[in-house]
Amino acid sequence: MNKLTRQLRDENNELEKQLSVETNEILTDIVVYIRCANISEYEQERVRRDIYDMLLEGERRGQSVSDIIGDDYKAFCDSVISEVPQLTAAQKVLTVVSYAVMAMGIMLAIWTVLAPFRSLANNGAWYIVSVGTEELIQGFAVIVTSFFVVGYICKNSFKPRKALFFLGLAAIIAVCIAADILVPSVTLVQMHIGVSVLVLAVLAAVYFILNAKLA
C-alpha cells in the first residue's frame, strides 16, 4: 500500500467514526464486499470515500441508508464498482503473484519458528529447517482454507450461504486428508535457519514492492 492509499484509508477511517452505529453495521458488509472487487486498493478507498460522503450527507438530512442507496446493497455496490477502472491483466497477474509470495512467506515463517522444537523433539540440530511433503500439504491446507474463508466472507457479505461454506470447507479438508494419507512423507529441503530468515526478508521485500505497484 503506497502513501497516498494509506492516507486515504486513514481519512476514511476517521469519517467512519462520524456515522451512526446503525449505518456502520451496514457499512461493514459494504466495505467487506468492496475488498474483493476487481479494483486496486486505492480505488477501493476512493469508493469508500464516495459512499461515506453520500451517507454522511444523507444522515444530516435525516435519511436512512435505504433512503440513500436503496435496499439492494449488493446491486448498489456493483453499480459503483462498475464505474471504477478495473484491474488490468498485468495487475491481475501481479495480484496473484503477490498472494503467492505472501502465502510462501507465511508458511516459511511458521516452519522457521517451529523448526527448533521439531528438531529437538527428533534429536536433530535446532538450527535446521526441514520442509517435506507433510509440511507442504499442511501449508497448502492452511493457505487454501484461509483464502476460501476470506473469499466466501467477501462474496457473501450481504447474504451468507452457510451450506455452501461448509460444503467447500469439507471438500478442502477431505482433499488434504487424502493427500496426507496417500503421499509418502519425504524431506524435500533442509536449510540453515539463517538462510530461512534471509529468504523471508527477500519474500517480504518482494511482497511490499508488488503491493506498491498495485496500489
Side-chain angles (χ1 to χ4, degrees):
M1 181 181 295
N2 60 28
K3 183 178 180 180
L4 185 60
T5 304
R6 189 179 300 107
Q7 179 182 346
L8 186 55
R9 181 200 61 188
D10 293 341
E11 291 173 358
N12 287 337
N13 291 341
E14 289 301 315
L15 280 177
E16 190 176 90
K17 297 175 183 177
Q18 301 178 33
L19 293 162
S20 66
V21 175
E22 293 77 11
T23 298
N24 270 313
E25 288 178 354
I26 298 171
L27 266 176
T28 298
D29 292 335
I30 290 176
V31 172
V32 167
Y33 186 76
I34 292 171
R35 291 302 182 202
C36 276
N38 186 40
I39 56 179
S40 68
E41 286 188 349
Y42 177 72
E43 294 298 344
Q44 290 175 15
E45 295 303 330
R46 283 188 58 196
V47 170
R48 280 183 70 193
R49 170 58 63 84
D50 291 342
I51 294 175
Y52 285 11
D53 288 342
M54 191 185 305
L55 294 177
L56 276 170
E57 184 62 30
E59 283 193 350
R60 294 190 184 104
R61 296 195 300 265
Q63 295 177 303
S64 67
V65 176
S66 296
D67 294 331
I68 302 166
I69 65 176
D71 294 318
D72 192 338
Y73 305 137
K74 182 177 181 297
F76 168 76
C77 289
D78 288 338
S79 66
V80 173
I81 292 170
S82 66
E83 300 298 323
V84 177
Q86 305 295 296
L87 292 176
T88 64
Q91 287 175 316
K92 289 180 181 179
V93 171
L94 285 177
T95 300
V96 172
V97 173
S98 70
Y99 284 154
V101 170
M102 178 182 68
M104 287 188 292
I106 291 173
M107 294 317 307
L108 183 56
I110 293 173
W111 295 331
T112 302
V113 170
L114 294 179
F117 303 100
R118 288 181 173 178
S119 297
L120 291 174
N122 296 318
N123 297 318
W126 68 268
Y127 51 83
I128 296 299
V129 179
S130 296
V131 180
T133 53
E134 185 177 348
E135 286 77 19
L136 288 179
I137 292 170
Q138 293 170 354
F140 175 82
V142 171
I143 296 301
V144 171
T145 301
S146 300
F147 279 112
F148 171 75
V149 171
V150 171
Y152 169 84
I153 292 173
C154 290
K155 295 296 184 182
N156 299 278
S157 59
F158 300 115
K159 293 181 179 179
R161 294 179 288 176
K162 293 183 178 179
L164 177 63
F165 173 76
F166 288 112
L167 181 62
L169 199 59
I172 294 171
I173 293 173
V175 169
C176 292
I177 290 176
D180 196 37
I181 294 173
L182 297 174
V183 177
S185 181
V186 179
T187 299
L188 301 174
V189 177
Q190 285 188 322
M191 70 183 87
H192 191 283
I193 196 168
V195 175
S196 179
V197 171
L198 179 61
V199 173
L200 279 172
V202 172
L203 289 174
V206 172
Y207 176 77
F208 286 121
I209 291 171
L210 290 175
N211 271 269
K213 291 182 178 295
L214 286 167

